[in-house]
Amino acid sequence: MISNSAERWGWVSISLHWITAALIISLAIVGLIMSELPTSAFKMQVFAVHKSFGITVLALTMLRLAWRLFAGTPKDIPGTRLQTLAAKIVHGVMYGVLFAMPLSGWLYNSASGFPLRWFGVISLPKLFTGFNPSIKAFALNMHESLFYVLAGLLLVHASAALYHHYIVRDNTLKRMLGKTV
């Protein structure tokens, strides 16, 4: 099933979810180690790939939201009002961070005076013209802070999915795994 139904997510939503998750985990690992690399051409390549995948996450997030508006969402699994509210808040904040984090990286890159080319193919415009140390520092601080916010949100998100699967034994996780419910 391509589209979402009242009972489950369709394969487009499922694919976008898991591709985004894999990219975020990869970006986190690379992001944590890349600044420790010795200055070299390899380090510049790692940074370029990190930026390109970050922009890809931004594009996928826009696509996910557009698809969500078009295809709708499954109805909420019955739970307490607090659980439903918490899920909506975590998802909303997570989407906000998935926009803000790549944009802060893009702003950092722009304020550093570097060009940004998506996988060396498409030149992206600068969000700020010229070198600006104060904007560069602000954007880097924001990018790093958002990483920790996102890590916390993902921990809550994954823990809630596992709680629903193993403790509550409902279909929350199964719906995102493409299992028939």
Side-chain angles (χ1 to χ4, degrees), residues 17-70:
H17 175 273
W18 291 111
I19 290 168
T20 302
L23 286 173
I24 289 169
I25 291 167
S26 301
L27 281 163
I29 293 167
V30 171
L32 289 170
I33 62 171
M34 67 186 194
S35 61
E36 302 302 319
L37 293 172
T39 303
S40 65
F42 175 71
K43 181 176 184 174
M44 295 291 101
Q45 289 173 333
V46 171
F47 268 80
V49 169
H50 179 82
K51 294 172 196 179
S52 292
F53 278 115
I55 295 299
T56 302
V57 167
L58 178 62
L60 287 174
T61 302
M62 293 187 310
L63 182 59
R64 286 180 71 181
L65 281 176
W67 181 253
R68 188 178 178 116
L69 290 172
F70 172 77

Side-chain angles (χ1 to χ4, degrees), residues 12-170:
V12 172
S13 294
I14 293 169
S15 298
L16 289 171
H17 175 273
W18 291 111
I19 290 168
T20 302
L23 286 173
I24 289 169
I25 291 167
S26 301
L27 281 163
I29 293 167
V30 171
L32 289 170
I33 62 171
M34 67 186 194
S35 61
E36 302 302 319
L37 293 172
T39 303
S40 65
F42 175 71
K43 181 176 184 174
M44 295 291 101
Q45 289 173 333
V46 171
F47 268 80
V49 169
H50 179 82
K51 294 172 196 179
S52 292
F53 278 115
I55 295 299
T56 302
V57 167
L58 178 62
L60 287 174
T61 302
M62 293 187 310
L63 182 59
R64 286 180 71 181
L65 281 176
W67 181 253
R68 188 178 178 116
L69 290 172
F70 172 77
T73 62
K75 53 186 174 171
D76 293 336
I77 299 265
T80 68
R81 283 180 146 179
L82 182 60
Q83 286 174 325
T84 302
L85 179 63
K88 289 186 186 310
I89 289 171
V90 168
H91 282 104
V93 174
M94 210 166 4
Y95 273 113
V97 172
L98 289 176
F99 277 108
M101 193 165 182
L103 287 172
S104 66
W106 191 346
L107 181 62
Y108 173 74
N109 188 79
S110 297
S112 299
F114 292 114
L116 183 57
R117 292 181 51 83
W118 185 72
F119 293 108
V121 177
I122 299 171
S123 292
L124 298 171
K126 291 186 178 214
L127 298 179
F128 183 85
T129 309
F131 177 78
N132 187 307
S134 58
I135 291 177
K136 178 183 172 185
F138 167 79
L140 179 61
N141 185 45
M142 185 62 62
H143 195 68
E144 291 174 347
S145 297
L146 287 169
F147 165 76
Y148 293 108
V149 170
L150 184 59
L153 290 168
L154 292 176
L155 182 62
V156 168
H157 180 69
S159 296
L162 294 172
Y163 166 78
H164 277 275
H165 188 72
Y166 290 108
I167 307 291
V168 179
R169 297 190 180 276
D170 64 20

